[in-house]
Structures are given as C-alpha cells and as structure tokens.
Amino acid sequence: MKQSTVFLAGSLVAMAVVSSTSFAQGNVDFGKNEYMASCASCHGASAKGDGAMRTYLTKAPTDLTIMAKRNAGVFPTQYAWEVIDGRTSVVIGSHGAREMPVWGYIYRADDTQPADLHARTRIGSLLDYLARIQVK
C-alpha cells in the first residue's frame, strides 16, 4: 500500500475515533482543548494571532480564523495537517524546522500503532476545531 493511501486511511480512522469519542463525551470539545493547550499561546484564544507569546516572536502568528477565506472559501485540511505534523514541504517559519516543530513530537505520527493513532486523533480534533471557527 502506498504511503499516501496509508496516510488517508489512518486519517479517516482518526476522524472516526474523534467523532465517536466526541459523541460519547457529550459537551467535551477535544479540538478546542487541543487548540488551547498547544496553539493559543501564540495564535491566541480567539485564533486571530493575538496570543501572549506574540510579542516575543519574530513573525506575527497567523490569524487561523481566515484560513478558508485565504483558500477560496475551502478549509485547507491537507496543508494544515502537514504543517501541524511537521511534514509539509513548505517552510513553516516560526514553527521551526520540519523535523522539530516548536511543540516537539506530540503531533508527529510514526509507524507504531498507538503513537500513530494518538497523533492522528489529536491532529484530527484540532483540524475539526479550526474548520469550525472559520469566518464566513
């Protein structure tokens, strides 16, 4: 099986796990919790790039609420996934080198099943949240 097919299959499994977990947990918003724990310090609680760490950064954090608007109205799921897990071929600047995003390896999927599923589930939750907070 090609790596892209495995990636897609793993992504679908992760999204199913996120959806079923969210349903079972009622009011818990895992995506928002993930965002607040890992992204809000730079991008802000509002996701508009106004986090507490902004003043310490060379480049201002991106407004994550306009990702879809900047992409012809479509949330860039694949690109966002690649930036979060560090595999994008695009230079991601303040997030660090592709090998070591500032959040370390918490979103890095690998070939071991528990770690891979855990990373994909976290990324899936985060992407779900980011897609829900896009401006219209």
Side-chain angles (χ1 to χ4, degrees), residues 3-128:
Q3 187 176 7
S4 61
T5 305
V6 171
F7 177 76
L8 179 59
S11 300
L12 293 174
V13 169
M15 293 304 272
V17 169
V18 170
S19 297
S20 63
T21 304
S22 297
F23 177 75
Q25 295 297 318
N27 293 332
V28 176
D29 189 337
F30 290 105
K32 183 174 184 176
N33 291 346
E34 192 67 41
Y35 175 83
M36 296 305 288
S38 299
C39 310
S41 62
C42 294
H43 292 280
S46 68
K48 294 186 179 291
D50 57 354
M53 295 301 293
R54 178 186 181 143
T55 58
Y56 303 104
L57 301 174
T58 305
K59 182 180 175 192
T62 302
D63 179 344
L64 299 176
T65 66
I66 59 170
M67 293 172 69
K69 186 176 183 179
R70 291 187 317 222
N71 193 46
V74 178
F75 183 74
T77 304
Q78 183 68 31
Y79 172 74
W81 186 294
E82 291 174 1
V83 169
I84 293 166
D85 83 356
R87 288 185 291 158
T88 184
S89 59
V90 176
V91 176
I92 54 176
S94 57
H95 283 182
R98 286 179 33 224
E99 296 78 25
M100 183 64 174
V102 294
W103 46 76
Y105 290 98
I106 64 170
Y107 294 121
R108 181 67 49 88
D110 61 30
D111 292 331
T112 61
Q113 272 306 315
D116 186 54
L117 183 57
H118 183 69
R120 290 176 192 273
T121 301
R122 291 177 80 167
I123 294 170
S125 296
L126 183 53
L127 291 178
D128 173 65

